[in-house]
DNA sequence: ACGTCTAAATGAACCGGTTCATAGTATGGT
DNA sequence: ACCATACTATGAACCGGTTCATTTAGACGT
């Protein structure tokens, strides 16, 4: 069974190939009787358009690329799933790569996507200040939407309000009397960790208290890092009375360390997770966590990108901020205020 | 800056377009001096091959599609990540869709992938007996590798030995004296749940004990299902003394129900998870779980598909089985044997 | 009946590669 | 000197659509 092509349809319908193409593209300059005749021929022959050939001339591939740090970030699948759903409903196919959080890979992927003539990209970048990445982003011929990054203002962005979330978390801890509040964050070269650090500072300043720089540990990128930093923090002379595990999926590493040290969550040390998870919810005691809607984030990202690709978006880049909330559970308890005398 | 094409390179190097193409394709019928001249011209002009144009004639798109039930299955990202890594190293780009576990979507996606001329597919199917899906699979022009499905023997497959895993889990429980062992599985129309049920039966038969059909609940597909079924099971006149939560990410739902009922894991009821997770590891008490290597599974799937696409694989379809192991933790305790007298 | 307009259909050029039949050039044998 | 035999380069056809300058036909006015 050989493939049916435009020419065969044209022949069957007794018209020119260009006419069939115009019918397929809903070009209004084709009369009704002819249109019907062509559509009948298409149905009769079971003709299907070849997307590759279509891309050849026009340039539109109906492909959208998505590149993020790492696909095994728990719950990030929700973002992908929802975005893919929206895109597919609009005839787009999703293309996936992981950047492994390396700028050179990000640049390389951007070039590869461009080579493949994708119609749009949604991605994260590991360092919002990297000149090569910024240049690659600026040079890209297709619209790029940044996921949870805010610095590169020439691109559309969907971001989470981590700053407020972190501030709520730290305020909560300060309100319970904690002062030695440790924080584990990822790389502050990217928005999420950067804004969480801001939120941490906001909360301290609002209370007139001074944040403690030595309790703020950044570049916590793997569960092993979280384990190690927690061990180190708890071994300090003045160990933290509360830990804010602000990175995406580092809660496990921290809990593992506390368990190793036989420190009880909510008793020996209070705990807040920077991202909600089943682990946070079902841990004993359940862990207070910052939450936001990843499904909505995925849908918004896809929708904004679709609008940009369709040329429906305003000229200026848009930035959508998703709210965070603090889900208070049982992992944080009050500490006695320090003995007076200072 | 206009795009550099083959013709420009040919002109710069003073050769024919066909010659440049042969250089690019490492065709041996081109003499060294010419090859060098062409390569210099390519470098000088910064020429890059257009994958779309390349696909036009040859048909190879260097695209591999992956379609699974749902991307928010925790830890499944590991499979995707590793597979993508291997594929990208070989010049392939991964294309992603979720089937939402519906046969008609599976058929539709298969047709869409074919239309896009992808070079290979790796996917799950929701019902290995569905005639439409089987027909679509047989009609596919590109190689398809099935993920954790074993019934359709005309395709390459990468499967997990859930049967042995489940048998180990149930043997462990039987060995602790449990008889009323409940099992929560997904849809037995697909291999994972089907083989887990087999393993469950294997273990009972090996002990000369009779499995209890009313404690075996299938079609548990969402955490809510798991919650509901656990509630129902624990409300029975003769409630189970152990629950084997055999579906992929249903552990949370089950634990939530037990917590609601104030039943303590490892005391009031023993628990085994059918798939390991951070939740299982860090729950209090830690939950005994069946584990396997998802990263290796992803790498194997990609490698097998690459071999098949390259025509390097043997004619017959291959099926690779990954081993499972039982990680014993503290969620299972012995029950007193029933009072003698029967 | 004739010119003018407009609407609709045509078909060839084009997108940017790959491939293959053909031609041209050395090399070696006699 | 001449033919056979590689070996190498050429360039046109081709993949399957889209697009646009051009042609054709029909309607209308006078």
């Amino acid at each position: 069974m050989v493939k049916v092509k435009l020419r065969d349809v044209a022949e069957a319908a007794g018209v020119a190939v260009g006419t069939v193409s115009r019918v397929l593209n809903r070009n209004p300059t084709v009369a009704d009787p002819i249109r019907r005749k062509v559509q009948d021929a298409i149905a009769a022959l079971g003709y299907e358009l070849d997307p590759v050939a279509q891309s050849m001339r026009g340039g539109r591939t109906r492909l959208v690329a998505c590149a993020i740090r790492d696909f095994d970030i728990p719950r990030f699948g929700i973002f992908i799933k929802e975005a893919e759903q929206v895109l597919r409903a609009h005839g787009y196919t999703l293309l996936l790569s992981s950047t492994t959080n390396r700028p050179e890979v990000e640049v390389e992927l951007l070039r590869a996507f461009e080579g493949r003539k994708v119609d749009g990209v949604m991605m994260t970048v590991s360092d919002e200040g990297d000149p090569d990445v910024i240049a690659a982003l600026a040079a890209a011929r297709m619209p790029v939407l940044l996921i949870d990054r805010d610095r590169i203002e020439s691109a559309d962005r969907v971001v989470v309000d981590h700053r407020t979330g972190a501030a709520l978390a730290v305020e909560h801890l300060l309100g319970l009397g904690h002062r030695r509040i440790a924080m584990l964050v990822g790389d502050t070269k990217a928005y999420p960790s950067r804004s969480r650090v801001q939120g941490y500072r906001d909360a301290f300043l609002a209370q007139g208290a001074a944040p403690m720089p030595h309790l703020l540990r950044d570049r916590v990128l793997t569960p092993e890092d979280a384990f190690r930093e927690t061990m180190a923090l708890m071994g300090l002379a003045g160990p933290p009375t509360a830990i804010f595990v602000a990175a995406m999926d580092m809660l496990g590493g921290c809990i593992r360390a506390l368990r190793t040290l036989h420190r009880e969550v909510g008793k020996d040390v209070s705990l807040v997770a920077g991202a909600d998870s089943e682990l946070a919810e079902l841990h004993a005691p359940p862990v207070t966590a910052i939450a936001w809607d990843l499904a909505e984030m995925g849908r918004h990202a896809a929708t904004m990108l679709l609008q940009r690709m369709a040329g429906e978006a305003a000229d200026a880049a848009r930035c959508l901020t998703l709210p965070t909330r603090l889900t208070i559970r049982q992992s944080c308890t009050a500490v006695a205020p320090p003995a007076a005398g200072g």
Side-chain angles (χ1 to χ4, degrees), chain A:
Chain A
M1 195 197 77
V2 75
K3 176 160 187 168
V4 182
K5 26 188 130 165
L6 207 57
R7 189 191 333 186
D8 304 321
V9 175
E11 203 172 317
V15 299
V17 287
T19 304
V20 181
S21 178
R22 276 155 54 234
V23 170
L24 289 167
N25 293 297
R26 289 173 185 65
N27 187 318
T29 72
V30 46
D32 269 356
I34 297 265
R35 174 187 310 276
R36 243 189 311 277
K37 216 164 49 171
V38 170
Q39 282 167 338
D40 289 351
I42 287 172
L45 297 176
Y47 169 77
E48 272 180 281
L49 232 138
D50 180 333
V52 176
Q54 213 172 9
S55 308
M56 186 74 203
R57 186 114 227 263
R60 301 179 317 288
T61 51
R62 301 231 140 212
L63 245 31
V64 167
C66 176
I68 62 168
R69 188 181 90 205
D70 192 340
F71 290 114
D72 67 7
I73 301 175
R75 302 173 66 84
F76 204 85
I78 298 175
F79 175 96
I80 306 272
K81 170 195 175 174
E82 295 292 329
E84 194 262 336
Q85 220 94 125
V86 172
L87 290 170
R88 181 137 52 91
H90 286 79
Y92 286 86
T93 302
L94 189 66
L95 207 140
L96 227 64
S97 301
S98 46
T99 65
T100 60
N101 223 33
R102 284 163 48 206
E104 66 274 20
V105 176
E106 287 154 12
V107 171
E108 179 202 316
L109 283 174
L110 229 23
R111 280 172 41 110
F113 292 153
E114 205 157 344
R116 282 213 181 265
K117 293 194 168 60
V118 305
D119 294 346
V121 176
M122 46 176 95
M123 70 186 298
T124 60
V125 296
S126 46
D127 177 358
E128 287 168 270
D130 187 291
D132 293 344
V133 171
I134 291 171
L137 245 19
R141 275 193 291 270
M142 64 287 191
V144 178
L145 176 141
L146 293 172
I147 304 167
D148 221 11
R149 299 293 182 269
D150 79 332
R151 272 271 170 90
I152 298 167
E153 299 184 348
S154 52
D156 285 333
R157 288 148 288 155
V158 173
V159 304
V160 175
D161 187 3
H162 299 293
R163 182 172 183 168
T164 301
L168 285 172
V170 177
E171 273 167 29
H172 177 58
L173 291 167
L174 288 167
L176 288 169
H178 294 274
R179 285 300 175 273
R180 295 205 302 277
I181 302 173
M183 167 145 144
L184 266 39
V185 287
D187 194 332
T188 52
K189 290 206 277 270
Y191 167 80
S193 293
R194 193 170 59 236
S195 55
R196 282 164 176 144
V197 171
Q198 286 177 329
Y200 177 88
R201 297 222 170 95
D202 291 348
F204 270 93
L205 292 178
Q207 297 262 338
M212 308 192 177
H214 70 290
L215 296 181
L216 202 160
R217 305 292 171 103
D218 66 354
R219 314 204 106 259
V220 177
L221 302 169
T222 67
E224 290 70 40
D225 292 342
F227 180 89
R228 195 171 346 98
E229 290 297 338
T230 304
M231 295 295 277
L233 283 165
M234 297 311 288
L236 290 175
T241 59
I243 304 180
F244 174 25
V245 190
M248 191 82 179
D249 53 341
M250 301 299 125
L251 180 62
C254 176
I255 290 177
R256 224 169 269 138
L258 294 175
R259 175 174 302 183
T260 304
L261 296 167
H262 301 292
R263 295 292 206 294
E264 217 171 297
V265 173
K267 210 179 131 198
D268 305 320
V269 60
S270 288
L271 202 58
V272 179
D276 204 2
S277 63
E278 265 202 333
L279 175 60
E281 184 195 341
L282 298 174
H283 184 263
V287 179
T288 294
I290 298 166
W292 64 91
D293 192 334
L294 269 161
E296 191 157 316
M297 194 174 172
R299 286 191 294 270
H300 277 304
T303 306
M304 279 173 70
L305 190 55
L306 281 169
Q307 288 172 351
R308 178 66 65 189
M309 293 188 301
E312 288 168 10
D315 284 350
R318 294 178 303 169
C319 182
L320 182 85
T321 304
L322 281 109
T324 46
R325 60 184 182 280
L326 184 68
T327 302
I328 295 178
R329 300 205 176 95
Q330 284 100 56
S331 61
C332 303
T333 47
V335 288

